[in-house]
Amino acid sequence: MLHRELDLHPLIARKSLFLFGPRATGKSSLIEQTLSDDALVLSLLDTRLALELLAEPYRLESIVLGTGRLNSPIVVIDEIQKVPALLDEVHRLIESRKWRFLLTGSSARKLKRGAANLLAGRALQANLYPLVRHEIPDFDLGRYLLFGGLPAVYLSPEPADDLDAYVNTYLREEIQAEGFVRKLPPFARFLKTLAISHGQVINFAKMASDTGVPASTLREYLSILHDTLVGFNLEAWADSKKRKAITTAKFYFFDTGVRNSLAGTHVLDRTSNTFGNLFETFIGMELRAFLGYRRSREPLMYWRSTSHFEVDFLVGTTVAIEVKATERVNEQDLKGLRALAEEGVFSRYVLVSQDPSPRVVALGGGATASLLHWTDFLDRLWNHEFVART
């Protein structure tokens, strides 16, 4: 049984909770592992129950009472987006019965489209991400970059087959079955094109040319990926004064394996640009999970100047992180950090790589950068060396 970094106990002890995450990230397993003795679980993947509550949402109260588990302090409703109208009942029962709810979902789209009541501040929100490095015993970087961190995929004896099944049955067929996409072929072309440009600045005009799909449709497709938690934007930090910054966001899929399956990447050459892109993504995913699980309000961003200086990840104005897949860092690898250091904004500068020799180098103006092997960086990150506890 895997130990996950997201601790549900202190969150649900405060108030009701939305737990969002893409399909197969392990939400149900986490709940079973941590709350099995304290919770009544109602799964809307049970078609019979879902149809009953879809027709008569008010029956939620009698269903809970009918279980005879009146002492259960927590009611879990799994995949709440399947019956958005239940949120009005949940709201009422929080007020009238003082029950506490844990509501899981893999899509916010139906909740938004249904103008659902998101409990008006009566519930916290948390997100579950794919596995991070130290949740995995005997972590294998190459396996993770190629197959990603979905628990059922990474731990599978046949990860390639399970990953393809996940992508084909969920990202394509199920998104269409949910009514989000009417025509599958242009959406499939969009997914492949976006996967190939994963981690790059979004360019709708070029993507429209490559796919033959209008830019307006592509924007709608992208919003579907955001709402179903399949991808996210990394926003640009645009407050630099010495050099003008671009303001366009980058897009990332939530998992390296999903990106590879969509892009048709089945083998990774460690000297390739693709390996470097996925290594950078891996560090970004660790940062994203760390900030989410530790409830940090620091934003995760990137910086690129119009003169092509770039730093991969910025955590608030606390730490600037450049990621290189190289096994030997050279002076050229530091140019982005040096340019950013001229702004005098960030407290710390770090270059993360596969170079086994840690050291500190001067960037100029009194600033220094720590050059760290990725394992050392992640150990220090999760030990709160770079971002303080909240």
Side-chain angles (χ1 to χ4, degrees):
M1 184 177 294
L2 297 174
H3 171 75
R4 303 303 299 268
E5 281 297 317
L6 178 60
D7 189 355
L8 296 178
H9 287 293
L11 299 175
I12 199 66
R14 290 166 58 188
K15 57 170 66 175
S16 293
L17 176 69
F18 284 103
L19 176 61
F20 289 117
R23 289 283 179 89
T25 46
K27 298 185 295 297
S28 298
S29 297
L30 177 63
I31 290 167
E32 181 179 357
Q33 179 181 335
T34 58
L35 300 176
S36 59
D37 296 332
D38 302 319
L40 167 66
V41 179
L42 303 175
S43 175
L44 297 182
L45 293 175
D46 180 338
T47 304
R48 190 175 198 176
L49 176 63
L51 290 174
E52 180 181 356
L53 290 172
L54 192 63
E56 299 176 318
Y58 66 86
R59 288 184 54 79
L60 175 63
E61 182 175 13
S62 62
I63 288 172
V64 173
L65 293 173
T67 65
R69 296 185 61 181
L70 297 181
N71 293 326
S72 292
I74 302 167
V75 178
V76 177
I77 303 179
D78 201 9
E79 299 296 343
I80 185 65
Q81 79 276 355
K82 291 187 174 294
V83 188
L86 277 180
L87 288 177
D88 288 329
E89 280 300 299
V90 169
H91 189 164
R92 182 181 68 82
L93 293 170
I94 290 174
E95 296 295 312
S96 64
R97 291 279 189 177
K98 308 303 179 186
W99 290 349
R100 193 157 293 174
F101 287 84
L102 196 164
L103 310 170
T104 81
S106 56
S107 170
R109 194 166 184 83
K110 283 193 171 180
L111 301 183
K112 291 178 180 179
R113 287 282 175 90
N117 167 14
L118 294 181
L119 305 186
R122 289 168 178 79
L124 300 172
Q125 180 175 327
N127 294 286
L128 187 64
Y129 302 105
L131 297 170
V132 296
R133 173 238 183 175
H134 66 279
E135 290 175 336
I136 301 174
D138 302 318
F139 180 82
D140 182 326
L141 178 63
R143 183 182 181 90
Y144 191 97
L145 296 189
L146 184 58
F147 298 117
L150 293 173
V153 172
Y154 184 91
L155 299 174
S156 169
E158 300 291 342
D161 290 343
D162 287 337
L163 181 60
D164 285 346
Y166 175 87
V167 169
N168 288 322
T169 59
Y170 176 54
L171 291 189
R172 293 193 174 97
E173 296 174 13
E174 190 166 334
I175 283 179
Q176 186 182 38
E178 291 283 359
F180 297 157
V181 175
R182 294 179 181 177
K183 296 181 180 179
L184 199 54
F187 184 67
R189 292 199 301 275
F190 158 77
L191 285 175
K192 182 166 186 175
T193 301
L194 192 63
I196 291 170
S197 61
H198 164 94
Q200 298 177 22
V201 171
I202 302 168
N203 186 331
F204 285 105
K206 184 178 186 304
M207 199 179 300
S209 175
D210 291 344
T211 61
V213 179
S216 58
T217 302
L218 294 176
R219 291 179 189 276
E220 176 63 16
Y221 286 169
L222 196 66
S223 73
I224 290 169
L225 298 187
H226 289 153
D227 289 345
T228 54
L229 310 177
V230 171
F232 65 96
N233 282 356
L234 185 68
E235 299 297 333
W237 182 72
D239 293 337
S240 54
K241 308 299 183 186
K242 303 282 187 180
R243 292 177 173 85
K244 185 177 180 181
I246 68 168
T247 59
T248 308
K250 293 181 179 182
F251 177 84
Y252 287 86
F253 282 95
F254 80 99
D255 178 75
T256 57
V258 168
R259 177 270 168 204
N260 291 338
S261 181
L262 290 170
T265 300
H266 303 297
V267 177
L268 273 184
D269 177 355
R270 284 182 172 263
T271 64
S272 67
N273 290 335
T274 298
F275 183 91
N277 176 278
L278 294 173
F279 182 71
E280 173 191 314
T281 300
F282 161 60
I283 297 299
M285 299 303 182
E286 290 272 342
L287 287 164
R288 186 174 182 238
F290 170 81
L291 294 172
Y293 293 165
R294 297 298 188 261
R295 312 295 290 176
S296 173
R297 292 183 173 85
E298 296 275 22
L300 183 64
M301 308 180 82
Y302 83 101
W303 175 70
R304 180 186 292 172
S305 74
T306 55
S307 51
H308 306 295
F309 290 98
E310 182 172 358
V311 175
D312 295 318
F313 302 107
L314 312 175
V315 179
T317 55
T318 304
V319 58
I321 302 152
E322 178 69 2
V323 182
K324 299 292 183 183
T326 182
E327 295 181 358
R328 186 180 295 274
V329 172
N330 61 41
E331 181 62 27
Q332 185 72 5
D333 297 325
L334 292 163
K335 67 177 184 178
L337 290 175
R338 289 194 190 282
L340 186 62
E342 293 176 10
E343 302 292 328
V345 172
F346 293 84
S347 304
R348 299 188 69 173
Y349 301 86
V350 182
L351 194 150
V352 180
S353 72
Q354 298 187 92
D355 189 328
S357 303
R359 53 198 184 276
V360 176
V361 298
L363 295 177
T368 60
S370 299
L371 277 53
L372 300 175
H373 189 269
W374 63 270
T375 55
D376 190 13
F377 170 75
L378 293 181
D379 287 344
R380 296 188 188 190
L381 173 71
W382 287 93
N383 199 36
H384 293 270
E385 181 174 323
F386 301 110
V387 182
R389 296 179 185 272
T390 58

